[in-house]
Amino acid sequence: MTEKRVDLLVIGAGPAGLAAAIAAKETGIDSLLVLEREKDPGGILRQCIHNGFGLHRFKEELTGPEYADRDIARAMELHIPIRCGTTVLSVSSGRKVTCVSPSEGLQIYQAGAVILAMGCRERPRGALCTPGTRCAGIYSAGTAQRFVNLEGLMPGKRVVILGSGDIGLIMARRMTLQGAEVLACVEIMPYSSGLNRNIVQCLQDYSIPLYLNHTVTEIRGRERLEGITISQVDENRKPIPGTDISFDCDTLLLSCGLIPENELSLGAGVRLSPATSGPVVNENFETSVPGVFACGNVLHVHDLVDHVSRESALAGKAAAEYIRSGAAGAETIQVTDGDGVRGTVPQMIHRNASADIDLMFRPAGVYRSSAAVVRCGGEEILRKKAMIYTPGEMAVLTLKAELLQRLPDSVLTVSIERTE
Amino acid sequence: MEKVITCINCPVGCRMTVMLSDAGDVLSVSGNTCPRGDKYARQECMLPLRVITAVLPVPGSPTPLSVKTASPVPKDAIPEVMRELSRVRPVLPVHAGDVIVKNILDTGADIVATRSLL
Ligand SMILES: Cc1cc2nc3c(=O)[nH]c(=O)nc-3n(C[C@H](O)[C@H](O)[C@H](O)COP(=O)(O)OP(=O)(O)OC[C@H]3O[C@@H](n4cnc5c(N)ncnc54)[C@H](O)[C@@H]3O)c2cc1C
Ligand code: SF4
């Protein structure tokens, strides 16, 4: 099979892939190609029809499709080729990309640089160990979102939602508005990982009860789901006997977290971080494999698409720079998670980095009146106070470039400390 | 009368207590950490507003049309707006931004398409 050459190959045409491709093209990379599995670009935003996107970037509240359309329009303007209906099967460590599409069959590209932008996937039911029979009527919240918003199908009439992440909350409202009855939203933790805004506008507005410290302990039904039982849990998240509440429902939606789509990354030999489940990257969003970059939800799960776009534009610029000037040399600073912090990105930094660097991470719990602190060789080099840090919101600390040159040590530790 | 309202403007999520007169006027707001909470609590008590989004089936299209109210409408109007929308059948082709229903139920808000269906 003949191999085609391309300077930059972007995998995925969600907000991450689009922003990366646009940024690279704007810096003068003309030989580029975006490959997308679905029949249209836009990624998961196509099914997120609710509003609230783009407040940071565009200073207005857009729906998901409207946000995606702005990037798609810009990509068209720049004549960036986006090949839809094309699934990437593998990426080699030498940046050979194999893909397949119904119209062109199997194709191989040798790319100067590759940007991984495949997004994330939902934790499947298997990963949750929910007990009970395997009947129809149990969906991940994102699958239900796709059914309702893109295919016009209603998954059921009487619904319980397990997990109070934002997608579950959004779906509680959507199912209600489209005519279903949502009986409860059930959360095993003592707090919801969703935004307050969504708790108020998706549950409270429709009088849907939120059961914190509860989980599903029984699933009933043969062919189709007929009912579930939930129970309160103790501090070890074990069900407490005698606290059962039973619901008659035909649908259970699972909203239990997202994980980066990392099959292609693994195949490319990219080193993954156990904390983010995405690739380990440096401040240029370059992975452990030279010339292979990662951005968006494939790198670490974001809650705001605005951050995805910003990070991905940086990745696109860095990939363009790699294509022009080659590798940037070895990183010398390592970033690690301290107390209260999970999954800081980037994990590696070049000491001679010329631009400020955003350190992004998830708080491991809810911390009130606390400060995020960066330490190096026992010295505190950065501190940012906040009234609250919660796992539901990615936190960002900006590290000034001039600070890097005079770091006393080669390891940075990010942690959250209470200030009282 | 007393009303408890959670502020949605930032992750702190202050729980605020609003004292209302018998006539429904706001007498006081407490529990907010910053002025944004006060403003939000008053708005929520006087006239809570929401943008509604929905999907409508389109004859001849396997994909439904996603729409929104072009501006926020009173929260109480949501059920009626949805009922009204369930009778609307947009006609192909639709372009993002097209007005599907003008001034729905006299709320002052148009229903506009948020995607194109060609
Ligand atoms: C179900 C769901 C609902 C969400 N709802 C919200 C929300 O309401 N608000 C919010 O701010 N964020 C939401 N998010 C987070 C949202 O994903 C991000 O804000 C943003 O869309 C991430 O952009 P991305 O480009 O990294 O990933 P995506 O938007 O997921 O795009 C990845 C693209 O890569 C393509 N792809 C994957 N693998 C391959 C392959 N092998 N070959 C070719 N193409 C491939 C996919 O088809 C997809 O189009 C949601 C996420 C999910 C999963
Ligand atoms: S009152 Fe101020 S601090 Fe409290 S949640 Fe609202 S915006 Fe945040």
Side-chain angles (χ1 to χ4, degrees):
Chain A
M1 187 177 316
T2 55
E3 227 175 76
K4 292 182 192 149
R5 244 214 75 88
V6 63
D7 280 347
L8 176 62
L9 201 136
V10 179
I11 307 174
L18 290 171
I22 290 167
K25 176 87 189 196
E26 282 173 345
T27 71
I29 300 295
D30 285 323
S31 157
L32 85 175
L33 179 63
V34 183
L35 301 179
E36 168 57 51
R37 183 171 59 189
E38 298 289 327
K39 66 181 200 307
D40 298 299
I44 215 80
L45 291 178
R46 294 171 57 245
Q47 69 184 57
C48 298
I49 65 151
H50 58 281
N51 72 315
F53 297 86
L55 212 48
H56 295 255
R57 184 166 164 217
F58 298 117
K59 307 286 175 254
E60 55 180 311
E61 290 200 30
L62 304 172
T63 63
E66 291 172 316
Y67 186 103
D69 276 351
R70 297 211 173 176
D71 287 332
I72 295 166
R74 179 67 183 144
M76 297 292 181
E77 220 172 81
L78 291 170
H79 305 290
I80 294 172
I82 304 174
R83 194 158 304 153
C84 290
T86 306
T87 303
V88 173
L89 303 174
S90 69
V91 179
S92 79
S93 56
R95 300 185 303 278
K96 230 186 257 301
V97 175
T98 309
C99 61
V100 65
S101 75
S103 55
E104 320 236 354
L106 202 64
Q107 298 214 293
I108 299 178
Y109 289 93
Q110 175 61 53
V114 171
I115 297 181
L116 306 171
M118 293 90 70
C120 59
R121 62 164 72 166
E122 297 181 275
R123 270 179 225 279
R125 184 185 176 195
L128 293 166
C129 309
T130 20
T133 51
R134 303 241 147 205
C135 46
I138 303 174
Y139 306 91
S140 72
T143 305
Q145 190 179 48
R146 185 188 171 101
F147 277 151
V148 177
N149 293 347
L150 287 183
E151 293 170 30
L153 304 169
M154 276 296 274
K157 294 198 177 71
R158 288 174 62 83
V159 186
V160 172
I161 306 208
L162 176 61
S164 63
D166 285 314
I167 306 169
L169 299 177
I170 294 284
M171 280 314 289
R173 174 175 61 186
R174 176 60 45 219
M175 296 293 284
T176 308
L177 285 176
Q178 304 291 147
E181 194 180 345
V182 178
L183 307 171
C185 178
V186 182
E187 169 62 56
I188 194 165
M189 300 300 285
Y191 52 84
S192 162
S193 57
L195 299 172
N196 285 322
R197 175 194 164 103
N198 287 335
I199 303 221
V200 171
Q201 299 193 347
C202 298
L203 297 183
Q204 289 173 9
D205 274 6
Y206 302 92
S207 307
I208 299 167
L210 170 61
Y211 291 91
L212 297 174
N213 291 309
H214 277 74
T215 192
V216 172
T217 44
E218 194 198 1
I219 291 175
R220 295 183 295 277
R222 247 168 230 254
E223 307 270 296
R224 174 80 196 195
L225 182 66
E226 287 166 9
I228 64 156
T229 302
I230 67 169
S231 307
Q232 203 179 325
V233 296
D234 61 22
E235 54 278 14
N236 300 318
R237 296 191 225 165
K238 293 271 173 296
I240 303 172
T243 59
D244 303 355
I245 308 173
S246 170
F247 293 98
D248 292 330
C249 57
D250 59 17
T251 306
L252 178 65
L253 300 189
L254 308 174
S255 169
C256 304
L258 303 168
I259 36 174
E261 175 66 72
N262 50 28
E263 231 164 281
L264 293 181
S265 314
L266 276 172
V270 162
R271 191 152 74 84
L272 297 187
S273 147
T276 59
S277 305
V280 168
V281 292
N282 63 26
E283 80 280 7
N284 298 322
F285 298 94
E286 188 178 9
T287 68
S288 61
V289 176
V292 176
F293 297 75
C295 56
N297 279 353
V298 81
L299 175 60
H300 55 158
V301 175
H302 291 259
D303 21 75
L304 281 181
V305 67
D306 308 67
H307 291 169
V308 171
S309 301
R310 199 175 43 149
E311 152 184 309
S312 303
L314 292 174
K317 265 192 214 138
E321 188 53 35
Y322 175 88
I323 291 165
R324 277 190 291 266
S325 332
E331 304 87 357
T332 46
I333 299 169
Q334 196 192 337
V335 185
T336 60
D337 298 340
D339 287 344
V341 165
R342 259 206 311 252
T344 309
V345 170
Q347 295 89 346
M348 308 290 284
I349 295 176
H350 291 97
R351 194 177 281 265
N352 59 359
S354 54
D356 297 351
I357 296 166
D358 281 347
L359 300 176
M360 297 170 275
F361 61 88
R362 287 218 176 249
V366 177
Y367 300 88
R368 287 180 190 274
S369 309
S370 300
V373 181
V374 182
R375 285 206 164 72
C376 184
E379 223 176 273
E380 178 179 312
I381 60 161
L382 190 62
R383 170 177 282 264
K384 186 178 169 191
K385 272 197 218 163
M387 276 201 284
I388 195 165
Y389 283 104
T390 79
E393 284 223 7
M394 187 181 284
V396 182
L397 287 174
T398 305
L399 203 59
K400 294 267 171 224
E402 57 266 24
L403 206 63
L404 288 172
Q405 273 111 58
R406 39 188 181 82
L407 286 181
D409 188 38
S410 58
V411 179
L412 289 181
T413 307
V414 187
S415 53
I416 296 182
E417 297 170 4
R418 294 192 197 275
T419 48
E420 293 139 315
Chain B
M1 207 181 62
E2 216 180 271
K3 217 170 167 178
V4 176
I5 287 180
T6 311
C7 181
I8 62 160
N9 286 305
C10 92
V12 176
C14 294
R15 283 173 74 81
M16 302 175 288
T17 307
V18 183
M19 298 301 289
L20 297 169
S21 73
D22 293 338
D25 295 322
V26 176
L27 299 173
S28 68
V29 177
S30 57
N32 56 306
T33 310
C34 79
R36 286 200 295 164
D38 185 272
K39 186 167 172 237
Y40 171 78
R42 284 171 197 273
Q43 179 74 51
E44 276 293 287
C45 285
M46 301 313 290
L47 184 64
L49 296 172
R50 303 285 186 266
V51 166
I52 308 177
T53 61
V55 277
L56 310 177
V58 179
S61 165
T63 312
L65 179 68
S66 54
V67 297
K68 68 174 183 184
T69 55
S71 53
V73 300
K75 187 175 106 176
D76 290 345
I78 295 175
E80 262 180 279
V81 168
M82 287 308 293
R83 225 171 296 132
E84 187 68 16
L85 282 180
S86 68
R87 286 197 283 273
V88 174
R89 291 288 173 275
V91 191
L92 293 175
V94 185
H95 297 271
D98 283 1
V99 174
I100 306 298
V101 182
K102 216 158 166 58
N103 184 16
I104 190 154
L105 295 174
D106 272 327
T107 51
D110 293 342
I111 300 289
V112 297
T114 57
R115 65 166 291 166
S116 302
L117 283 176
L118 305 172

